[in-house]
Amino acid sequence: MKNENKAASKESLRVAHLLAKEGKPFTDALDESTDITDTAQLLLFTRGVNADFEVTEELASMNSLRGTTTGEDIFKEVEEMLTKYNLKWNQLKCVTTDGGKNMSGTEPVVSTVNFIRSRGLNHRQFRDFLSEVEAEYPDLPYHTAVRWLSSGKVLLRFFELREIEIFLNEKKRPQPLLSNTEWLWKLAFAADIMGFLNGFNLKLQGKTVLICETYTAVKSFRRQLALIESQIMSSCFVHFPCCQTLKEEVDSPFPHEFAGDIFSELKKQFQQRFSDLDASAEDISRFENPFNCTIEELPPNLQLEVINLQCDNMLKGKFQENNLTEFYKCLPSDEYGELRSYARGLISVFGSTYLCEKTFSKMKYVKSQYRSALTDEHLQSIMMIGSTNFDPQFEEMLSKKKNFIHPISSLKLCFKQ
């Protein structure tokens, strides 16, 4: 394990040192979450693109923050990482973070789900109860703060299994809100809006998602949000199935003021959180389609190359046939050096903190309740191995050991005997 960990660490160092030596741009994606012992763990991934347009994403560092987790604390950790790898601040093109909040732990839905799922007897009885009443679903999902998509799934399933009220009454733990139609409206709206947000979040996930794909999803979501708001305020629930179901079951009016406040806050948050993308909209558009941009509006160092590009029908055909990375890779470096460099900078930008979220999910399995005493050093080593794209050469490492006998050679010896 030590050799494999060293190999993974060397791969991160190799990538970082190559970026530092060539002065190439790179971007970081970072996020912080707590492990089973409530220790804050900060992940920092680095992405770089070399001259051959090969994209490299590696976990540059994982740090345990046992004190405060302020912005200043996180900044210091980033600064130490740059110093360790001899990277310069002017090479850092972008930092991608996730500022979203999880569901509140005091919310009635979460407390009720935890009451059912955290106790074995309650959980078994609840599943038997659902079977007896022939409920649509056999169980409730367990909400977990790290897996941020679970919030919407929990709300949706909780709304669909409103038979929970009967079960809670039988357990002498009544929940009065389940009989409150105003609260049920809010639950239905929350389930629908979270499902809507989850659909948007999923579009941002995946490896090597380009920044232009992220911005396209953001612009599309904003327009959808405006449309849905106008429909909801007119009590049209064609895109909100939970609200439509409740509308058919109860006579009480939909809480328009509550929904209006949510929509207003949501639009405000989207405006703030994606303001950096809005500020870079022209750069993203040029990168996404260099054949559809005004020469006079381009940076001077790109103008001549883009004129040549727009006049080349063969390259226009390659643009239509290939993805963006492959297209920019095929441009001759002697003719389009500035444009290739410009493209590499934007390709290196993380579209989301997907890699951090994925790694945190692994961390919950690695440092579980059965391995809560795992040291920070060992946790970091395991996570480095589990997240790296480096392919360890086991046979080569083992062949250098004095007492190592290759398995095939061992079989030959057996047959000889």
Side-chain angles (χ1 to χ4, degrees):
M1 175 178 171
K2 288 183 179 180
N3 287 336
E4 187 179 354
N5 181 39
K6 287 180 180 178
S9 299
K10 285 181 179 179
E11 176 64 10
S12 294
L13 284 167
R14 185 190 68 79
V15 172
H17 286 165
L18 181 61
L19 292 171
K21 180 180 178 181
E22 298 182 357
K24 302 300 183 184
F26 67 95
T27 65
D28 288 338
L30 57 93
D31 201 3
E32 171 264 326
S33 184
T34 55
D35 59 26
I36 192 69
T37 61
D38 292 327
T39 300
Q41 304 290 349
L42 176 66
L43 295 180
L44 197 155
F45 279 86
T46 295
R47 178 193 280 185
V49 183
N50 66 13
D52 294 324
F53 282 82
E54 295 174 338
V55 180
T56 303
E57 297 174 339
E58 286 293 333
L59 177 60
S61 67
M62 179 176 183
N63 298 293
S64 302
L65 306 177
R66 295 193 170 275
T68 58
T69 57
T70 63
E72 183 178 355
D73 296 324
I74 293 175
F75 176 82
K76 288 180 180 178
E77 296 295 341
V78 175
E79 191 172 35
E80 288 182 9
M81 185 277 297
L82 294 179
T83 302
K84 174 183 177 182
Y85 293 132
N86 196 30
L87 294 168
K88 307 299 181 184
W89 280 106
N90 59 7
Q91 291 177 250
L92 181 58
K93 184 150 185 91
C94 175
V95 175
T96 303
T97 61
D98 178 13
K101 296 181 179 179
N102 289 299
M103 292 171 63
S104 171
T106 60
E107 188 174 332
V109 172
V110 176
S111 61
T112 300
V113 171
N114 289 344
F115 168 75
I116 294 173
R117 290 296 306 262
S118 63
R119 305 176 188 180
L121 178 60
N122 287 350
H123 191 201
R124 290 194 301 272
Q125 292 176 339
F126 179 68
R127 286 185 297 180
D128 291 340
F129 164 77
L130 292 179
S131 177
E132 290 176 7
V133 299
E134 298 181 350
E136 185 176 359
Y137 296 98
D139 204 354
L140 270 173
Y142 209 158
H143 169 255
T144 170
V146 170
R147 296 175 186 171
W148 43 267
L149 287 175
S150 71
S151 302
K153 294 178 181 178
V154 169
L155 288 171
L156 176 61
R157 188 63 59 83
F158 193 93
F159 176 81
E160 293 170 334
L161 292 177
R162 293 189 297 286
E163 299 95 335
I164 291 174
E165 181 182 11
I166 301 173
F167 177 77
L168 293 177
N169 289 335
E170 292 178 354
K171 297 292 290 184
K172 302 188 184 306
R173 193 181 184 276
Q175 177 51 266
L177 289 175
L178 287 170
S179 301
N180 185 319
T181 53
E182 182 180 358
W183 185 83
L184 286 175
W185 269 120
K186 293 179 179 179
L187 172 64
F189 178 79
D192 283 332
I193 197 69
M194 284 298 297
F196 188 54
L197 285 167
N198 280 355
F200 166 72
N201 281 327
L202 287 172
K203 291 180 181 179
L204 306 183
Q205 306 312 303
K207 295 186 64 175
T208 63
V209 173
L210 298 179
I211 190 64
C212 55
E213 297 172 308
T214 298
Y215 195 39
T216 296
V218 170
K219 291 187 292 184
S220 175
F221 181 85
R222 284 172 172 166
R223 293 186 60 182
Q224 292 176 358
L225 189 63
L227 173 65
I228 289 176
E229 180 184 13
S230 65
Q231 293 176 338
I232 292 296
M233 301 313 285
S234 301
S235 297
C236 174
F237 305 118
V238 63
H239 298 297
F240 272 37
C242 293
C243 288
Q244 180 61 39
T245 298
L246 194 61
K247 180 182 179 180
E248 298 170 358
E249 295 179 359
V250 301
D251 296 327
S252 61
F254 176 78
H256 292 91
E257 184 177 352
F258 169 79
D261 291 341
I262 297 296
F263 278 119
S264 296
E265 182 62 24
L266 193 55
K267 288 187 292 185
K268 178 182 176 182
Q269 290 293 323
F270 259 74
Q271 192 66 31
Q272 293 175 350
R273 294 182 185 277
F274 295 101
S275 59
D276 289 339
L277 285 179
D278 293 328
S280 303
E282 290 186 5
D283 278 332
I284 295 172
S285 178
R286 294 164 187 158
F287 164 68
E288 187 175 17
N289 189 353
F291 292 93
N292 187 31
C293 60
T294 305
I295 300 298
E296 291 74 19
E297 297 176 355
L298 289 171
N301 64 315
L302 296 179
Q303 290 175 339
L304 295 181
E305 291 186 0
V306 174
I307 288 176
N308 290 335
L309 182 71
Q310 292 180 351
C311 294
D312 194 322
N313 290 329
M314 184 177 295
L315 288 178
K316 186 177 292 185
K318 291 184 178 180
F319 173 77
Q320 296 171 346
E321 295 170 0
N322 299 303
N323 61 47
L324 278 176
T325 302
E326 290 299 319
F327 165 71
Y328 283 107
K329 180 180 178 180
C330 79
L331 296 181
S333 57
D334 56 338
E335 297 180 40
Y336 298 99
E338 292 290 339
L339 190 57
R340 284 168 60 94
S341 177
Y342 176 78
R344 286 205 307 273
L346 286 168
I347 292 173
S348 70
V349 176
F350 283 97
S352 69
T353 57
Y354 165 76
L355 287 178
C356 295
E357 301 291 347
K358 182 180 178 182
T359 306
F360 281 136
S361 292
K362 291 181 180 178
M363 182 184 72
K364 290 298 179 181
Y365 288 104
V366 172
K367 192 172 181 179
S368 63
Q369 59 179 327
Y370 305 107
R371 304 179 71 189
S372 59
L374 195 67
T375 65
D376 293 338
E377 182 182 0
H378 285 152
L379 175 62
Q380 292 162 13
S381 297
I382 294 172
M383 297 312 300
M384 183 72 75
I385 295 170
S387 62
T388 185
N389 294 312
F390 176 74
D391 186 16
Q393 305 298 316
F394 290 113
E395 289 194 5
E396 182 181 345
M397 289 189 291
L398 291 174
S399 64
K400 295 179 181 179
K401 301 296 182 181
K402 293 181 179 179
N403 297 326
F404 171 70
I405 299 179
H406 195 281
I408 295 179
S409 300
S410 179
L411 284 173
K412 289 180 179 178
L413 289 175
C414 291
F415 281 116
K416 282 183 180 180
Q417 293 175 358

